[in-house]
Amino acid sequence: MASSGNANQWKDGYPSLDVVRSDIDQGGSYVIEDGGSIVAYFAFLPSPEPTYSKIYDGEWIDDALPYHVIHRIASIPEARGIFKSIMDFCFAQDSNIRIDTHRDNHIMQHNIEKYGFTCCGIIHLDSGGERIAYQKKEDTIRILFLHGFYASGQCIPAVALREAFDGRAEVITPDLPMHPKEAIRYIRELCDREKLDVLVGNSCGSFYAQIVAPLIEVPALLGNPHFQMTEFLQQRIGKHQYKSPRKDGCKDFVIDEQLTAEFANMELHQFDGCTSYGKEHVWGLFGEQDTLAHFEPLFLKHYTHSFHFPGGHTPTADEVRNWYVPLIEKILHYTGKTTGEPGYPHFIEQQYGLETEISL
């Protein structure tokens, strides 16, 4: 620090062994290794931070609990990219983080502000020293799940997604209107109102997501998309029942020629909105045991990223957790957002007809 013009921040052997032990006792002591050698240290601690209870010459972005605090960032001189690595890791754990630094630590101030923190004011340490205090609070991630034709917002995949992202993201699982134009209108209104981060569909829901996502430039994961709903419906003319409960209590519905014709018209134009954005941000996930929809070749005529999972047309709760959730996390990471520390399995990606295994 002294060599970079900051001789006054860490003095008299700070941080002491007792301070580091306290970090460990709180479960917030972390090191970064490179080639088996420790190259950096930092503390990532839960709120409340006592010295943050009062702030002068400004105010925190909010006074809400909980938040996390980052302290004691230190690295060897040769290490590069340490600050960003620490921030990426910490924001994968919490979206509301505070940090402070000394007035003379211009390098740290630059890094903090570059990462998007807001300078909130001045805090006083127990020793009486002043520190510049910062906070960054990322908005809640919002995921919209669009269910299949016979399903509802309470179907197994919807419930599994809500449970998997509980505390990390808001998963919106509405009951979709029966008629396709009404469904598209409803989805567009939801997207405009909720400021969604990703669309996730299954079957008919993926049919809708593919139409909407490129137009509004929101990434999408299409689970077993059914791009030929007309043929599907023509074989099922008559009375039916939903396979999961709807909020309005409706249990029965009718497939008739009018409904089939509405889907037929939409199918003719379903890929009209494909864009360069959509090509890279609309991803497909195809069950290897799916006996109902086989549209991966059609998907790959318009989009790049296709993945397989060892399941059927409607995923089980375990399949949602093991395959859908990691891909959703990867999409969010790809677009610069995160819901938590991802644990990506190995997927098989079908790209331009060539199958290659990739580790995500």
Side-chain angles (χ1 to χ4, degrees):
M1 285 188 176
S3 62
S4 60
N6 180 24
N8 299 310
Q9 183 170 355
W10 286 5
K11 299 187 297 184
D12 302 323
Y14 182 88
S16 67
L17 186 58
D18 287 342
V19 169
V20 175
R21 282 175 176 159
S22 177
D23 293 343
I24 295 172
D25 291 342
Q26 295 179 74
S29 175
Y30 293 89
V31 298
I32 298 177
E33 292 185 345
D34 183 13
S37 299
I38 294 176
V39 298
Y41 175 89
F42 66 98
F44 183 58
L45 304 170
S47 58
E49 163 59 59
T51 61
Y52 288 178
S53 59
K54 291 185 179 180
I55 187 167
Y56 304 89
D57 300 331
E59 61 183 5
W60 297 111
I61 293 174
D62 63 20
D63 291 323
L65 294 174
Y67 59 85
H68 270 77
V69 181
I70 301 173
H71 284 319
R72 292 177 279 285
I73 297 177
S75 65
I76 64 172
E78 298 81 11
R80 295 291 180 268
I82 294 297
F83 185 85
K84 185 178 184 302
S85 295
I86 292 172
M87 294 301 119
D88 288 349
F89 170 83
C90 292
F91 275 100
Q93 320 306 314
D94 195 347
S95 61
N96 188 6
I97 294 179
R98 299 180 184 184
I99 191 172
D100 65 79
T101 193
H102 196 279
R103 288 184 183 275
D104 293 340
N105 197 340
H106 300 295
I107 294 175
M108 183 60 71
Q109 292 171 38
H110 170 77
N111 286 333
I112 292 171
E113 293 169 5
K114 182 179 179 180
Y115 200 84
F117 280 83
T118 298
C119 181
C120 295
I122 303 296
I123 59 101
H124 291 167
L125 306 179
D126 292 336
S127 63
E130 291 186 350
R131 294 292 184 268
I132 304 173
Y134 299 83
Q135 183 178 7
K136 181 178 178 180
K137 185 175 182 181
E138 294 185 338
D139 292 335
T140 300
I141 298 295
R142 289 182 172 85
I143 300 167
L144 176 61
F145 175 75
L146 306 176
H147 59 75
F149 186 79
Y150 278 84
S152 73
Q154 293 300 314
C155 64
I156 289 174
V159 173
L161 277 179
R162 291 202 303 266
E163 292 175 349
F165 284 104
D166 185 32
R168 300 189 295 147
E170 179 183 2
V171 181
I172 303 167
T173 60
D175 296 337
L176 299 177
M178 174 64 63
H179 294 271
K181 285 186 178 181
E182 294 177 17
I184 291 293
R185 186 182 306 113
Y186 178 72
I187 294 166
R188 289 294 300 268
E189 290 173 355
L190 265 178
C191 293
D192 292 341
R193 183 172 70 248
E194 300 292 343
K195 306 301 181 185
L196 299 166
D197 295 288
V198 63
L199 306 183
V200 181
N202 193 70
S203 192
C204 183
S206 293
F207 170 76
Y208 292 141
Q210 185 280 139
I211 294 171
V212 173
L215 298 177
I216 62 174
E217 294 195 348
V218 171
L221 176 63
L222 312 184
N224 289 323
H226 205 309
F227 295 138
Q228 294 181 4
M229 286 299 299
T230 305
E231 180 181 349
F232 173 83
L233 296 174
Q234 285 174 339
Q235 299 172 5
R236 294 166 174 82
I237 298 293
K239 296 180 179 180
H240 299 270
Q241 286 192 329
Y242 291 106
K243 295 182 179 180
S244 54
R246 293 174 68 92
K247 290 183 178 179
D248 60 7
C250 182
K251 298 180 180 180
D252 304 310
F253 65 92
V254 175
I255 299 175
D256 55 22
E257 294 295 342
Q258 178 182 344
L259 181 63
T260 303
E262 292 173 10
F263 272 98
N265 182 63
M266 187 167 288
E267 275 181 28
L268 292 174
H269 303 282
Q270 62 179 311
F271 296 110
D272 288 358
C274 290
T275 62
S276 57
Y277 175 91
K279 187 176 181 66
E280 293 298 326
H281 292 83
V282 175
W283 296 4
L285 179 58
F286 297 88
E288 294 172 347
Q289 306 302 319
D290 187 354
T291 59
L292 184 63
H294 307 281
F295 299 109
E296 186 176 22
L298 179 56
F299 173 87
L300 288 169
K301 288 183 178 180
H302 303 278
Y303 301 108
T304 303
H305 301 286
S306 175
F307 301 85
H308 293 173
F309 75 102
H313 186 68
T314 301
T316 65
D318 284 342
E319 288 167 347
V320 169
R321 287 188 289 268
N322 293 332
W323 301 97
Y324 280 66
V325 169
L327 265 183
I328 294 167
E329 290 173 333
K330 186 180 190 305
I331 291 174
L332 290 168
H333 185 75
Y334 183 74
T335 57
K337 299 181 179 181
T338 184
T339 63
E341 186 175 7
Y344 306 133
H346 290 270
F347 287 91
I348 299 296
E349 181 175 34
Q350 183 78 22
Q351 187 170 10
Y352 299 111
L354 299 176
E355 197 170 77
T356 56
E357 185 172 355
I358 59 173
S359 178
L360 307 178

